[in-house]
């Protein structure tokens, strides 16, 4: 563990995981918002919206995340000139957030749609009977119950997003996987300790998070 007695190495380690936390936080918000919109499209009475939602889900669920991240960098940034920030690290960060969000939103959509299917059809029929629109029925009656039913699946999806965020390192962001590579290159005789520290950090954070989502799912479950 002598490698982590050097303050500069600790700084590399901390900086790498700070980028992971930022990617996870922003990607979770983006994926949740987009996933809810896509789920609404998937159950919409409008055929065009249902078709768009289905196309999005089938496309992104069956496309490797690495390709999506590469497209965000080489397609949106290098080819089309999309610059989200002036500096390279923030720019790569936001490109990574875009890739993580559009990819993970497909899985969030299907989780929420499965939750919508657990809500008894009689409740939406009753809402329509008293004059509520589709949007009102969805937001006031259906989604609050569906959200409570899919807390555990969403937790698994967001934990996967946290691990998937290391792929953003392929476009140059100095997140944890690149930080680990940098430390290994500089301290080749300490490969195993470096790996154990990085893997252990993920485990220490994500295992309790999984249990927390499980507890919350039981706590918030809809009793029928």
């Amino acid at each position: 563990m002598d490698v982590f007695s050097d303050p500069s190495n600790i700084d590399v380690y901390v900086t790498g995981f700070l980028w992971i936390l930022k990617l996870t936080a922003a990607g979770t918000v983006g994926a949740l918002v987009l996933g809810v919109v896509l789920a609404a499209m998937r159950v919409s009475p409008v055929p065009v919206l249902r078709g768009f939602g289905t196309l999005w889900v089938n496309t992104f669920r069956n496309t490797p995340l690495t390709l999506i991240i590469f497209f965000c960098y080489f397609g949106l940034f290098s080819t089309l000139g999309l610059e989200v920030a002036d500096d390279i690290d923030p720019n790569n960060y936001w490109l990574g957030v875009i890739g993580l969000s559009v990819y993970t939103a497909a899985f969030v959509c299907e989780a929420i749609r499965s939750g919508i299917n657990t809500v008894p059809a009689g409740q939406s029929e009753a809402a329509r009977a008293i004059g509520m629109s589709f949007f009102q029925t969805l937001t006031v009656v259906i989604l609050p119950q569906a959200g409570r039913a899919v807390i555990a699946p969403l937790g698994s999806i967001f934990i996967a997003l946290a691990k998937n965020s290391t792929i953003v390192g392929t476009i140059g962001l100095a997140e944890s996987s690149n930080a680990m590579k940098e430390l290994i290159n500089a301290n080749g005789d300490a490969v195993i300790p470096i790996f154990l520290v990085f893997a252990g950090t993920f485990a220490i954070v994500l295992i309790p998070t999984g249990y927390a989502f499980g507890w919350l799912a039981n706590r918030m479950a809809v009793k029928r």
Side-chain angles (χ1 to χ4, degrees):
M1 293 295 182
D2 290 342
V3 63
F4 290 102
S5 62
D6 187 338
S8 63
N9 290 341
I10 295 177
D11 184 60
V12 171
Y13 161 80
V14 171
T15 301
F17 275 100
L18 284 177
W19 280 120
I20 291 293
L21 291 176
K22 293 176 183 178
L23 286 166
T24 302
T28 295
V29 173
L32 186 59
V33 172
L34 184 54
V36 170
V37 173
L38 289 170
M41 290 182 175
R42 292 276 274 158
V43 298
S44 168
V46 181
V48 174
L49 294 180
R50 289 201 307 271
F52 179 83
T54 301
L55 178 64
W56 184 292
V57 169
N58 289 336
T59 299
F60 285 100
R61 285 183 71 185
N62 293 286
T63 303
L65 178 57
T66 305
L67 295 185
I68 296 172
I69 297 296
F70 278 0
F71 173 78
C72 290
Y73 185 81
F74 294 106
L76 297 181
F77 173 57
S78 297
T79 303
L80 299 179
L82 174 65
E83 290 190 26
V84 192
D86 294 332
D87 296 331
I88 188 65
D89 274 349
N91 189 67
N92 290 345
Y93 162 74
W94 285 113
L95 292 172
V97 169
I98 292 171
L100 289 169
S101 297
V102 299
Y103 174 80
T104 309
F107 296 89
V108 172
C109 168
E110 290 302 274
I112 293 176
R113 190 168 72 96
S114 69
I116 291 174
N117 291 335
T118 66
V119 180
Q123 296 197 22
S124 58
E125 293 172 359
R128 288 196 297 269
I130 62 174
M132 296 179 70
S133 66
F134 169 77
F135 179 77
Q136 289 173 325
T137 301
L138 187 67
T139 56
V140 177
V141 178
I142 305 300
L143 283 179
Q145 297 181 69
R148 294 173 66 179
V150 296
I151 291 175
L154 287 178
S156 297
I157 291 170
F158 295 141
I159 288 172
L161 186 153
K163 293 183 287 186
N164 288 339
S165 61
T166 58
I167 295 177
V168 181
T170 58
I171 59 173
L173 187 67
E175 45 66 60
S176 61
S177 64
N178 273 352
M180 184 175 75
K181 181 180 178 181
E182 179 181 338
L183 291 179
I184 289 175
N185 288 339
N187 305 272
D189 57 341
V191 174
I192 293 178
I194 292 172
F195 169 78
L196 290 177
V197 167
F198 278 82
T201 302
F202 273 103
I204 289 170
V205 174
L206 296 182
I207 290 176
T209 302
Y211 281 112
F213 272 107
W215 174 85
L216 186 61
N218 291 330
R219 179 84 174 178
M220 300 296 291
V222 178
K223 306 299 181 183
R224 293 193 176 95

